[in-house]
Amino acid sequence: MAKYNKNKDVIDLSDIPVSKSNFLIIQASNHSQFYESVGMTLLSYDSPAADNWKLINDTKVINSILCKKAEVRYKGRDWTAWYATEIPFPFGPYKFSGLPGLIVKITDKTGDYDFELVKSTSSSELKGKVVTVSERYYKNSKNVTKKELSQARTNFRENARYQLESMGTVFSQNQKERQKAVSTEKKGHNPIELED
């Protein structure tokens, strides 16, 4: 949690987890557009919205909001969502949309991913306020497939290593150390989308 230090007139953000996300998702009613910078190039791809929601006759109060339950299988994971019909926006976190209300909470069945609305503001408090996203995060992107974006990431990492080596950087030549580093990197790899 952020702490304010009156004596130094500073807000300490060191306890707030750092996001490793460097992407933007813009949702529409039946699809979302995913944007990511890879090196100096802004790439994007279109992704269809989850459209096979199963509405469940169950309710729950989350953060003082009455929610209804829905389930979906999306990109290789089974998800349980709680949405609020009293907030008639068909959107939610990540690429989830299409329910008859705002998705307040959504969790995959394994518990690896859990998104929850932590704060809401009444529309009267927002009147006259504008939320903007800098155009540099989405304007003039090159439209590619998801697979092409993934390959661009891989190529960028490999090219960065080559460039560093050409400038004299020496990487460990020990094959055992290299394999251990690759194995450790793969262990922590748990993509939100398991299938295309």
Side-chain angles (χ1 to χ4, degrees):
M1 175 168 231
K3 297 175 192 128
Y4 178 69
N5 184 330
K6 278 192 218 175
N7 299 333
K8 294 183 180 178
D9 200 27
V10 170
I11 298 174
D12 177 12
L13 301 176
S14 62
D15 289 342
I16 296 177
V18 176
S19 172
K20 293 185 179 180
S21 302
N22 61 341
F23 58 84
L24 170 70
I25 298 173
I26 297 178
Q27 294 183 357
S29 58
N30 60 352
H31 70 99
S32 57
Q33 194 71 22
F34 182 96
Y35 298 87
E36 181 178 342
S37 288
V38 178
M40 299 296 289
T41 306
L42 180 60
L43 303 175
S44 69
Y45 68 87
D46 188 68
S47 187
D51 60 358
N52 54 340
W53 289 101
K54 180 180 173 188
L55 304 183
I56 310 294
N57 189 20
D58 195 1
T59 60
K60 179 179 186 177
V61 175
I62 300 172
N63 296 327
S64 73
I65 301 170
L66 179 63
C67 299
K68 293 184 177 184
K69 186 177 182 180
E71 295 176 341
V72 69
R73 178 154 183 87
Y74 184 73
K75 303 287 185 177
R77 289 186 186 270
D78 294 316
W79 296 87
T80 299
W82 294 92
Y83 64 98
T85 55
E86 66 187 68
I87 306 171
F89 297 111
F91 303 111
Y94 192 58
K95 297 178 182 177
F96 297 105
S97 62
L99 286 170
L102 182 70
I103 298 172
V104 174
K105 181 175 177 69
I106 187 164
T107 308
D108 80 309
K109 294 282 187 202
T110 64
D112 288 343
Y113 289 92
D114 185 16
F115 300 94
E116 185 172 336
L117 176 70
V118 293
K119 181 179 179 183
S120 62
T121 304
S122 72
S123 58
S124 62
E125 290 180 49
L126 295 173
K127 195 165 191 124
K129 295 188 179 176
V130 177
V131 176
T132 60
V133 175
S134 174
E135 287 183 346
R136 72 184 177 103
Y137 293 110
Y138 63 88
K139 195 168 183 182
N140 299 321
S141 65
K142 179 181 178 187
N143 204 23
V144 295
T145 64
K146 181 181 176 191
K147 186 176 182 179
E148 289 169 331
L149 190 138
S150 180
Q151 185 61 49
R153 272 192 222 116
T154 301
N155 292 346
F156 179 74
R157 280 193 302 272
E158 289 172 1
N159 289 338
R161 180 184 174 104
Y162 172 78
Q163 290 297 324
L164 288 168
E165 286 175 336
S166 72
M167 291 185 287
T169 304
V170 178
F171 290 92
S172 172
Q173 300 302 317
N174 183 335
Q175 189 65 18
K176 207 175 209 178
E177 280 181 35
R178 186 94 182 102
Q179 286 175 336
K180 185 178 176 184
V182 168
S183 173
T184 302
E185 188 177 300
K186 283 183 181 177
K187 252 186 206 173
H189 185 66
N190 184 16
I192 192 167
E193 295 181 15
L194 300 174
E195 328 173 322
D196 285 332

